[in-house]
Amino acid sequence: MRKSLHSTLLNTRAGKALLDTQNLLRAQITNFTFNLGFSGKFYHTGTIEEDEGDDLLLGSVDEFWWFPHMWSHMQPHLFHNESSLVEQMILNKKFALEHGIPTDMGYAVAPHHSGVYPVHVQLYDAWKKVWNIKITSTEEYPHLKPARYRRGFIHKNIMVLPRQTCGLFTHTIFYKEYPGGPKELNKSIQGGELFFTVVLNPISIFMTHLSNYGNDRLGLYTFVNLANFVQSWTHLKLQTLPPVQLALKYFELFPEQKDPLWQNPCDDKRHRDIWSKEKTCDRLPKFLVIGPQKTGTTALYLFLIMHPSIISNSPSPKTFEEVQFFNRNNYHRGIDWYMDFFPAPSNVTTDFLFEKSANYFHSEEAPKRAASLIPKAKIITILIDPSDRAYSWYQHQRSHKDPVALKFTFYQVITAGYHASAELKALQKKCLVPGWYATHIERWLTYFPPYQLLIIDGQQLRNDPAIVMDEVQKFLGVTPHYNYSEALTFDSHKGFWCQLLEEGKTKCLGKSKGRKYPPMDSEGFSVKLLQRSQCGTVKASTQIGTTPSIVAETGATKSEIALGKSF
């Protein structure tokens, strides 16, 4: 149970009652200790009696646990700069040191949940820098309501625990004026909502307000009676742990919650209210090109950015044009990091932002993560014969001097068995796994409806890109219509289509693209059956006008890869 001290102050009698009640609760709850939050700016700003209450608490500083709010109890998201937050925190830390308040608990709470979720990364960085914070808590993840869905997560090595609601709010201070009357409060305690919160949650954190502990002392009344009722009617044994131990215990119980699942802050009014006003949600992509690799995704990318109304992300220094946010640890950097790859709305006249990361296609995490953050985004994938894709990846690795690819033939790589080296197995996985089209598309269709998915025939894109790009434009609903027939020209020397520039000049894919590989040998060709046996059947209702879908039937030969309007 946590208690927050800020602008409303306790008098001496209420302070003594707090200490007495803590001792009383320790008889029922092992190690029970109130965790008091402080905003030092409000110290000694009340009446003489209230100032004496401040002194009583600080004179009993070792009886409690303590956590910092902001110096002036301001909401962190209003301080866009990390440096401003650091200044506020340093003032509060100076106050703590001057008054003997422990500064090593590793726990902090942001006023009004601000900055914890939706994440204001500047808060996390400032917390680390000034207080070395390891734990915080919020009611906001993933949403405030329903409370039973609240979860924890870890961001920037700070463990965020879910807080519960106990029915006591800032202005809930008089017994007779409790919303719905005293009977409602007692009903909640004695077998109602508050009781079941404790019963159904192995760990419950309640954040209450100082005003609940003055006046009629409803906070003390509530928790004493709750402890009595739980002890009388259940065999539960309640205990209190220090914040660090509590957080470690929580994620031991719920390890699956460690990874956050980012959502669009603008989709929830309450989230919008506690997200920085300096930020915008208009820097999220409207569609994704998800791969797989070696199917023509780079060509599609270059064709897309030719369109005057379509803008891609700025390139990542580590992965060239690809951000690789949803499928890698970059995801843990948060959505601020992701959105910084896209232009600010004031700098563009279109909202057709997109990114291409070819590893998204076969990622187990990417579909769920993408659907959480951009649920209305359209998804584009390109498929070619899966054995050709595998062979292309093998040759790609040879051209990059991969020692395993140089040492083994394609057939040896594909057919490597259980006793193969880890390096050989890794290359085999890179060749085969992205080609299990049915498995991966089914995963994407678990999170996105079929009408948001477009499957492009990679061979058709290579042979007649203008027709494919017309269908892509229809699928995206982008305007104005761009005439790719006039904008593209076939370069017979390079063997693929290029952008036609002024004065007959062309802009083509780089040297690393469109390489001509030696044909697959007879042993490698037999792998087509093997690869297709891994493929399963792809049947996606993705027809937009005459947009083709690709069907890779189990056991089919290359000639049986069929195009159809919808299935």
Side-chain angles (χ1 to χ4, degrees):
M1 300 176 187
R2 317 284 181 221
K3 193 170 78 65
S4 167
L5 282 74
H6 49 91
S7 56
T8 305
L9 306 177
L10 284 178
N11 59 32
T12 306
R13 293 188 302 277
K16 289 180 178 178
L18 189 70
L19 280 165
D20 292 342
T21 304
Q22 179 168 273
N23 290 328
L24 176 65
L25 285 169
R26 282 177 175 169
Q28 298 170 295
I29 303 174
T30 303
N31 201 35
F32 180 86
T33 305
F34 282 114
N35 199 349
L36 308 187
F38 59 93
S39 295
K41 182 179 180 180
F42 300 104
Y43 175 64
H44 274 196
T45 58
T47 65
I48 293 176
E49 192 176 24
E50 289 170 340
D51 289 350
E52 290 174 349
D54 286 351
D55 294 335
L56 172 68
L57 293 179
L58 291 177
S60 307
V61 69
D62 294 332
E63 295 293 324
F64 304 108
W65 296 331
W66 298 81
F67 66 87
H69 272 315
M70 297 297 292
W71 162 253
S72 59
H73 206 67
M74 285 292 289
Q75 299 179 47
H77 77 273
L78 300 177
F79 296 88
H80 188 66
N81 293 324
E82 180 188 329
S83 59
S84 298
L85 287 167
V86 167
E87 289 174 6
Q88 283 268 309
M89 291 180 189
I90 288 174
L91 289 172
N92 225 20
K93 190 167 187 177
K94 182 180 178 182
F95 170 80
L97 294 172
E98 288 175 351
H99 293 86
I101 297 174
T103 60
D104 59 353
M105 292 297 290
Y107 179 73
V109 169
H112 309 286
H113 307 274
S114 165
V116 180
Y117 192 84
V119 164
H120 187 57
V121 70
Q122 293 87 343
L123 170 64
Y124 284 71
D125 290 340
W127 264 344
K128 279 288 184 183
K129 186 174 293 185
V130 178
W131 291 103
N132 192 27
I133 294 304
K134 300 179 178 67
I135 309 100
T136 186
S137 59
T138 184
E139 297 167 9
E140 296 298 332
Y141 177 75
H143 299 286
L144 176 66
K145 295 180 180 179
R148 65 182 180 276
Y149 289 156
R150 291 175 191 167
R151 300 291 185 268
F153 67 98
I154 299 176
H155 183 55
K156 304 205 78 148
N157 293 319
I158 292 179
M159 294 176 279
V160 182
L161 301 183
R163 286 208 300 262
Q164 303 303 326
T165 304
C166 64
L168 303 181
F169 304 101
T170 307
H171 301 295
T172 315
I173 56 179
F174 295 109
Y175 180 71
K176 291 183 178 179
E177 295 179 9
Y178 185 87
K183 286 185 178 180
E184 284 299 312
L185 174 60
N186 292 327
K187 178 181 175 182
S188 178
I189 295 169
Q190 298 169 5
E193 183 176 354
L194 183 53
F195 169 75
F196 274 104
T197 296
V198 173
V199 169
L200 298 177
N201 292 283
I203 293 176
S204 294
I205 300 173
F206 297 104
M207 180 77 180
T208 48
H209 302 267
L210 187 64
S211 55
N212 306 139
Y213 295 83
N215 303 291
D216 278 4
R217 303 173 194 165
L218 276 189
L220 303 181
Y221 174 89
T222 298
F223 291 114
V224 168
N225 281 279
L226 176 63
N228 286 337
F229 192 83
V230 170
Q231 187 179 52
S232 298
W233 291 93
T234 76
H235 291 292
L236 295 177
K237 293 183 179 180
L238 302 178
Q239 63 174 314
T240 303
L241 293 176
V244 172
Q245 293 181 35
L246 188 70
L248 293 174
K249 185 65 177 178
Y250 184 86
F251 288 107
E252 179 186 319
L253 292 172
F254 304 106
E256 73 283 357
Q257 293 185 23
K258 290 180 180 180
D259 287 343
L261 194 61
W262 306 131
Q263 303 160 103
N264 187 332
C266 296
D267 288 343
D268 184 304
K269 181 182 183 304
R270 186 173 170 95
H271 286 174
R272 286 200 307 270
D273 291 342
I274 55 175
W275 204 46
S276 174
K277 292 177 173 57
E278 301 290 329
K279 300 176 184 180
T280 173
C281 299
D282 295 333
R283 298 179 73 179
L284 291 170
K286 198 164 188 176
F287 68 97
L288 301 176
V289 176
I290 62 172
Q293 292 173 303
K294 309 309 293 178
T295 59
T297 55
T298 301
L300 176 62
Y301 168 84
L302 293 175
F303 295 156
L304 284 166
I305 61 176
M306 289 169 58
H307 196 293
S309 296
I310 295 177
I311 298 177
S312 177
N313 57 279
S314 56
S316 168
K318 291 186 177 181
T319 55
F320 301 100
E321 79 272 10
E322 295 193 345
V323 181
Q324 297 194 20
F325 175 67
F326 294 109
N327 67 312
R328 299 181 66 176
N329 286 332
N330 286 336
Y331 185 77
H332 297 285
R333 297 173 182 263
I335 63 173
D336 285 1
W337 181 88
Y338 183 51
M339 289 193 296
D340 281 345
F341 281 93
F342 298 93
S346 58
N347 298 329
V348 296
T349 57
T350 177
D351 63 349
F352 274 92
L353 306 178
F354 84 101
E355 67 135 325
K356 183 271 289 186
S357 290
N359 284 324
Y360 287 170
F361 178 75
H362 62 277
S363 165
E364 293 186 9
E365 302 91 355
K368 183 177 182 179
R369 290 172 172 179
S372 178
L373 182 61
I374 45 175
K376 296 181 181 179
K378 298 208 173 163
I379 309 298
I380 299 177
T381 184
I382 310 176
L383 303 185
I384 64 173
D385 182 285
S387 54
D388 289 341
R389 198 220 69 83
Y391 185 63
S392 180
W393 179 258
Y394 167 77
Q395 291 291 352
H396 171 82
Q397 291 302 96
R398 285 179 62 87
S399 68
H400 284 79
K401 308 302 180 184
D402 180 338
V404 180
L406 293 172
K407 181 178 180 180
F408 296 97
T409 68
F410 178 56
Y411 181 75
Q412 288 171 327
V413 170
I414 298 303
T415 58
Y418 177 78
H419 296 292
S421 67
E423 293 79 10
L424 182 54
K425 287 181 180 178
L427 178 57
Q428 183 188 71
K429 183 177 179 181
K430 279 283 192 178
C431 288
L432 287 179
V433 171
W436 299 349
Y437 295 154
T439 298
H440 306 313
I441 289 178
E442 186 175 337
R443 187 183 300 120
W444 280 94
L445 290 176
T446 300
Y447 295 99
F448 287 90
Y451 60 82
Q452 286 179 228
L453 173 66
L454 175 67
I455 302 176
I456 291 175
D457 177 3
Q459 193 60 47
Q460 186 183 23
L461 179 69
R462 186 182 183 94
N463 295 338
D464 200 346
I467 290 179
V468 173
M469 295 309 296
D470 283 348
E471 297 298 338
V472 170
Q473 290 183 82
K474 292 177 186 177
F475 172 70
L476 296 175
V478 61
T479 56
H481 181 270
Y482 186 70
N483 191 336
Y484 281 94
S485 295
E486 296 179 355
L488 295 174
T489 184
F490 185 77
D491 188 313
S492 56
H493 177 70
K494 291 182 176 290
F496 48 80
W497 292 80
C498 303
Q499 182 178 1
L500 182 62
L501 305 176
E502 295 180 0
E503 299 178 356
K505 296 180 180 179
T506 59
K507 179 180 179 182
C508 300
L509 291 168
K511 293 180 180 179
S512 64
K513 303 297 180 181
R515 290 191 185 94
K516 299 203 182 313
Y517 303 132
M520 199 183 301
D521 59 27
S522 58
E523 281 187 326
F525 190 81
S526 68
V527 173
K528 289 178 179 290
L529 294 179
L530 171 66
Q531 172 71 349
R532 211 163 267 99
S533 71
Q534 305 276 3
C535 254
T537 303
V538 175
K539 291 188 177 182
S541 299
T542 58
Q543 183 183 9
I544 306 294
T546 58
T547 302
S549 298
I550 288 182
V551 174
E553 295 287 358
T554 302
T557 64
K558 183 177 180 180
S559 62
E560 290 173 327
I561 296 292
L563 294 179
K565 292 184 177 179
S566 66
F567 301 92

